[in-house]
Amino acid sequence: MSVNIRSILVATDGSDNVKNAVNWSIGLAKANGAKVKAVYVVPPAGVAVAMRGEMWAKALEGHLKEEGEKATAYVVDIGNKEGVEVECVIIDGKTPADGIVDFATENDIDLIVMGTLGLTGLTHILLGSVAENVVRYAKRPVLVIP
C-alpha cells in the first residue's frame, strides 16, 4: 500500500499541549513534501454569552480571533524554520470538531493531525473532547498526538 500525503491539517488552539502535534505535522509535511493548513476554530457565541449582550459577545469573538491568529502564526513560524509551506485558516461559527471535519472534507485534506489535550479542561467531561469527535466523524485519517 502506498500513501501519498500532499496536504495536512493541523488543528491548533494555541495551547502548549498542541505544540507536539504542530511539530509532528511539520515533520510529516517536510518528509512528504506536503503543505500544511493550520486551522483554528472560533465557536459560535453560546446562549450564556449572548445573554450578556451583543457587545460582550462581539468582544469575546474578537478576542478568540486574535488568539486564533497567534496560534496559527506559531505554526507558520515552525513551518518556515523547516521549509514547509503553511496556510493559516480561521473558521468562524462552528464547533471545533465540526469545523475541522468539514474543512478537511471540503479541502481534500489527506491527514488531520491534532493533540489529545487542548484548552478544554473540564469541558472534556461535559461535552467530550474535540479529538474524540474528530476521530469519530472524520472521513480522513486522523493522527492524535499526546
Side-chain angles (χ1 to χ4, degrees), residues 24-82:
W24 269 86
S25 68
I26 297 297
L28 286 168
K30 186 174 183 176
N32 288 280
K35 295 178 182 178
V36 173
K37 307 279 188 184
V39 174
Y40 181 96
V41 182
V42 178
V47 174
V49 172
M51 289 175 57
R52 289 185 176 252
E54 185 178 339
M55 287 183 60
W56 197 84
K58 285 185 179 187
L60 177 60
E61 181 181 345
H63 171 74
L64 291 173
K65 285 182 179 179
E66 286 177 19
E67 291 298 312
E69 289 169 6
K70 290 178 196 172
T72 55
Y74 172 80
V75 181
V76 170
D77 289 342
I78 300 299
N80 285 341
K81 290 176 186 171
E82 296 298 323

Side-chain angles (χ1 to χ4, degrees), residues 114-126:
M114 58 192 312
T116 55
L117 297 173
L119 294 172
T120 56
L122 181 60
T123 307
H124 169 76
I125 295 169
L126 301 174

Side-chain angles (χ1 to χ4, degrees), residues 8-32:
I8 298 171
L9 180 161
V10 62
T12 183
D13 61 9
S15 69
D16 286 340
N17 295 324
V18 175
K19 290 182 178 178
N20 203 24
V22 170
N23 291 333
W24 269 86
S25 68
I26 297 297
L28 286 168
K30 186 174 183 176
N32 288 280

